[in-house]
Structures are given as C-alpha cells and as structure tokens.
Amino acid sequence: MYDFAPDTTLAPDERYRQLADAAHSLTDGEPDAIANMANLSALIWEFVPDLNWAGFYRVVDGELVLGPFVGRPACIRIPLGQGVCGTAAATGTTQRIKDVHAFPGHIACDSASRSELVVPVIRKGEVIAVIDLDSPDLARFAEADAAGIEQLALRIADRI
Ligand code: SME
C-alpha cells in the first residue's frame, strides 16, 4: 500500500517538496510511462486541494494527446500552440491562468474550470508532455503552485 498523505499544515513549498519526493519514490524502478502518469495524477489529486482535473497530455507526432488523469472526460487531441496546454507545449513555458475565460483560445473540457496551471515536462531539451491542473476557483494557482509543479516535472521527466 502507498501511503503518501499530505500534511495540510505545511507551507505550500514544503508540501510541494513532499509531493516531488513521493512522486519520485512512487515511480522508482517502474519503466511503464502510463502506469507512472496514472499514479502521478492520483498523487497530485491528493496533494493539491481545490482541483477538478489533474493529469497529463503527451506530445505525440506533433500534437498533444490525452494521457492519464483524474477528473471528467477531456478533449483527446490538442494542436501545439492552441489552448493553455498547447501554448505551454509550444513555448516550453509554464502557463498560470487566473481566469480561463480571459485566455484567448482556452479549450473548455469541463465548464466548471475557472483557473488553470499547465507545466511542460522537458526531457533532453524537448517538451515531451504537459502536466495540466484545473480548478473551479478563480485565481486558484499562486507562484508557489507553479514552482511546485515545475519541481515535480523535473523530478519525473525521465519516468514518463
Ligand atoms: N483547458 C485546456 C484543455 C485541457 S482540459 O483543461 C483538461 C486548454 O485550454 O488547453
């Protein structure tokens, strides 16, 4: 049994450090990328409060394709450069969106989503996937959340 219970009394940066450590040990020695992304999505869901979607899109043949996630069913393919995920993948930069309705080209998969954080996963200089978090709360994601998920992306880049 895996028991990585987040300590909700900790400051966000320490909580994200725990998440990255838990992610690293959960995927240790497991070569199957899908199994790892599935477990990582569940782990993010447990560690990060107030989400309605948490998961992966992978870069496959020049577009983003839905990977393992927790949440409602989502759009399967996203062209690079489109939506929040496609922008993160095309630019290789984190997208922290306070209000998705104000983001031109936002792709609504769940109408409940109000804010979004998308972090590229970069391996050997190439974006191989993005980690996508959605929240039903406006301006849910602070800089500490972006830094925490970026830290996670670095730790798991060679495991997905
Ligand atoms: N909102 C994303 C699409 C993916 S869903 O949020 C799961 C976007 O604009 O790229």
Side-chain angles (χ1 to χ4, degrees):
M1 185 183 116
Y2 299 103
D3 196 7
F4 298 112
D7 181 346
T8 51
T9 63
L10 292 175
D13 59 338
E14 183 52 35
R15 180 114 66 97
Y16 277 111
R17 220 179 334 269
Q18 283 192 348
L19 168 60
D21 286 346
H24 202 254
S25 35
L26 189 57
T27 55
D28 203 24
E30 175 50 64
D32 191 281
I34 292 175
N36 286 338
M37 286 186 279
N39 258 341
L40 290 167
S41 301
L43 200 63
I44 293 169
W45 186 262
E46 287 206 355
F47 271 76
V48 184
D50 306 318
L51 301 180
N52 61 328
W53 205 91
F56 289 81
Y57 278 88
R58 299 160 299 133
V59 178
V60 181
D61 295 335
E63 66 180 339
L64 286 175
V65 181
L66 182 65
F69 66 93
V70 179
R72 300 190 70 190
C75 24
I76 298 170
R77 293 175 187 270
I78 299 176
L80 296 183
Q82 285 188 23
V84 185
C85 292
T87 301
T91 62
T93 59
T94 294
Q95 302 294 308
R96 184 165 64 91
I97 309 302
K98 287 183 179 168
D99 178 359
V100 293
H101 295 162
F103 185 94
H106 166 252
I107 300 164
C109 292
D110 181 344
S111 61
S113 296
R114 292 307 309 278
S115 58
E116 184 160 4
L117 175 65
V118 183
V119 172
V121 182
I122 297 170
R123 187 165 66 207
K124 294 182 185 153
E126 270 183 39
V127 178
I128 57 162
V130 298
I131 301 173
D132 181 17
L133 308 189
D134 284 22
S135 172
D137 299 344
L138 203 58
R140 159 67 186 82
F141 302 105
E143 273 181 26
D145 297 294
I149 298 298
E150 284 168 356
Q151 185 188 351
L152 174 68
L154 275 175
R155 293 287 291 279
I156 55 90
D158 60 354
R159 302 198 168 182
I160 66 166

